[in-house]
Amino acid sequence: MSGLAERRILLGVTGGIAAYKAAEFTRLLTKAGAQVRVVMTRAAQDFVGPLTFQALSGEKVHTDLLDPDAEAAMGHIELARWADLVIVAPASADCIARLAHGHADDLLTTICLATESPLAVAPAMNQVMWAHPATAENVERLRTRGVTILGPASGDQACGETGSGRMREPAELLGDCTELLGPRLLAGQHVLITAGPTREALDPVRYLSNHSSGRMGFAIAASAARAGARVTLVSGPVERSTPAGVERIDVDSARAMQTAVETHIDAADIFIATAAVADYRPSEVAERKIKKGDEDGRTLALARNPDILAAVCARSPRPYCVGFAAETDAVAENAQAKRRSKGADLICANTVGAGIGFGDVESTLELFDDHGSVRLGPADKETLARELIGAIAERLSAPSREQRNETP
Ligand code: CTP
């Protein structure tokens, strides 16, 4: 039976071209056994008629706050109480702004304010509107209030532009709802995650680093928190907002990351190392800015950085340890070799190369452990993160080899 069977989902549809995708989302939700009630804003009805949603949900669509007939059947407060989950998809920039400021001047915003159930929004708008500081502030405000922000995705937009702002696909939103309403797979667990790049100082103004965006680690942190875990995220320097319910510790260098990890590792049940830790740092950090000389070239002396994952794996007792491996070739061999050399329980390998594995495009993750391998995706990083959390929870609940009295 689907995790959504008999669950009550209130879908808010706001004005935007992605409203047509909300019709498909409604169909998928009802097919998964959920009870769906749709609330449409006035602008949404300019894109898709309420009759479409009525046919797909099997329920009358709610459109007005002050409609005596509708209020007599199921009033706005009852609707807010009825829902196990309220999801606004698509959520326009205007809707997000009004939610962020606590408006209650139409049926949808009133329900969002009146509900005590989880609230999720799936933004959909032009990429410039999404990138605007006003939208960013509103989204951050919602996030810190515990609202789950689903997406947006990147790609071609209806307006002809390309960028971030597309609504997540209906099938992805279905997975998000399953996660938000599903069993809290990591309830009672403490997950420690490293993410992002490290910066290794050369002098007061220069450093060695890499292009890691931290997106995967932050997505895993968000997913683990939604799965009920206590999450501590040790992050290198990245421009990302902290997922709801996650404790974040900002660090710069590999050694600072290791210190933060050591401080929290004793309490951790699961350690997930997604950070792109610099393997080397400059042997010396100049106290003053290094001046150029007359020489043609210069040699930089480097010292080895600590391997944070390997050090955690070597502890006893130790948490369940998950590492990442970015490989260009011989993925399975290299990933398994990396897992053994570091002593990790699970290694997640992603194939990287020119144009593969970076940025917003869909990618795959191949998980290697004692029992073999399993492939996740292709999917965006948020979906991969959710599936990875599911895979880790599954492995933790399965009896270990030792418990089954098996020899390796
Ligand atoms: N890692 C770590 N500390 C380091 C280096 C890596 O914790 N100093 C972790 C990463 O977070 C990741 C895994 O180890 O989980 C990656 O291992 P690594 O061998 O560093 O991968 P690559 O950098 O891809 O190694 P190589 O360049 O040798 O392929």
Side-chain angles (χ1 to χ4, degrees):
M1 203 204 284
S2 143
L4 292 176
E6 304 299 322
R7 302 314 297 268
R8 297 185 295 214
I9 297 183
L10 191 140
L11 170 63
V13 183
T14 72
I17 184 59
Y20 83 92
K21 287 195 191 172
E24 170 67 359
F25 180 40
T26 306
R27 194 186 68 79
L28 293 179
L29 285 170
T30 50
K31 204 171 147 208
Q35 296 176 37
V36 185
R37 294 218 174 222
V38 179
V39 173
M40 297 182 81
T41 62
R42 190 147 309 190
Q45 297 167 58
D46 291 335
F47 288 90
V48 186
L51 209 54
T52 302
F53 288 100
Q54 181 172 317
L56 291 168
S57 67
E59 296 285 347
K60 189 176 178 307
V61 171
H62 303 260
T63 50
D64 290 308
L65 181 57
L66 302 173
D67 174 352
D69 287 345
E71 284 290 300
M74 193 189 255
H76 61 277
I77 299 292
E78 277 168 281
L79 269 175
R81 285 199 195 123
W82 169 86
D84 293 324
L85 169 71
V86 177
I87 175 166
V88 185
S92 64
D94 177 62
C95 170
I96 288 172
R98 291 189 304 124
L99 290 177
H101 291 87
H103 287 206
D105 54 359
D106 67 2
L107 181 60
L108 181 58
T109 48
T110 305
I111 287 171
C112 290
L113 212 55
T115 192
E116 288 180 317
S117 297
L119 172 63
V121 299
M125 67 196 74
N126 163 274
Q127 47 120 4
V128 180
M129 291 169 77
W130 172 251
H132 197 286
T135 305
E137 270 172 35
N138 291 331
V139 168
E140 186 55 27
R141 202 180 266 217
L142 290 178
R143 217 191 287 272
T144 51
R145 241 184 249 155
V147 175
T148 303
I149 310 294
L150 305 169
S154 262
D156 294 339
Q157 300 205 295
C159 52
E161 295 178 16
T162 304
S164 203
R166 275 166 62 112
M167 188 173 85
R168 269 164 79 67
E169 291 302 320
E172 292 167 349
L173 292 176
L174 187 77
D176 296 331
C177 290
T178 310
E179 183 185 49
L180 284 163
L181 286 171
R184 290 161 71 76
L185 293 173
L186 294 183
Q189 307 274 354
H190 184 176
V191 184
L192 181 61
I193 300 171
T194 63
T198 63
R199 275 183 191 171
E200 310 300 327
L202 266 165
D203 68 16
V205 293
R206 302 184 181 95
Y207 55 81
L208 303 179
S209 190
N210 59 66
H211 288 298
S212 168
S213 70
R215 180 163 171 189
M216 190 73 209
F218 275 61
I220 292 171
S223 207
R226 286 203 287 271
R230 186 181 145 208
V231 182
T232 306
L233 175 63
V234 179
S235 177
V238 289
E239 294 272 329
R240 288 200 171 272
S241 53
T242 310
V246 169
E247 181 200 3
R248 171 170 174 178
I249 298 160
D250 285 315
V251 295
D252 51 7
S253 67
R255 287 191 294 177
M257 186 172 272
Q258 186 182 37
T259 304
V261 165
E262 277 172 357
T263 308
H264 292 86
I265 199 66
D266 285 340
D269 303 294
I270 302 168
F271 177 62
I272 308 177
T274 73
V277 186
D279 290 320
Y280 294 90
R281 65 177 182 277
S283 301
E284 280 174 29
V285 183
E287 266 176 39
R288 294 182 198 176
K289 189 177 165 207
I290 301 168
K291 291 288 185 194
K292 62 180 160 299
D294 292 333
E295 66 272 39
D296 270 348
R298 250 191 203 185
T299 305
L300 189 61
L302 298 173
R304 196 60 201 262
N305 263 333
D307 189 318
I308 302 170
L309 174 60
V312 171
C313 291
R315 294 171 76 96
S316 178
R318 63 169 220 183
Y320 184 81
C321 293
V322 181
F324 271 71
E327 304 293 344
T328 51
D329 54 282
V331 176
E333 293 77 13
N334 287 337
Q336 284 289 30
K338 203 165 277 183
R339 187 173 77 85
R340 284 191 207 101
S341 72
K342 301 215 181 204
D345 296 291
L346 183 72
I347 281 274
C348 313
N350 52 350
T351 309
V352 291
I356 313 171
F358 293 108
D360 287 329
V361 288
E362 293 203 331
S363 52
T364 55
L365 265 191
E366 206 163 350
L367 313 189
F368 295 90
D369 68 0
D370 265 353
H371 307 290
S373 73
V374 49
R375 184 183 295 255
L376 309 181
D380 58 52
K381 293 205 165 80
E382 284 68 28
T383 304
L384 290 175
R386 187 181 66 238
E387 291 181 2
L388 174 61
I389 290 299
I392 292 172
E394 202 177 293
R395 280 161 178 74
L396 285 175
S397 63
S400 68
R401 176 164 277 168
E402 225 171 291
Q403 286 161 333
R404 291 197 311 265
N405 284 328
E406 278 179 26
T407 42

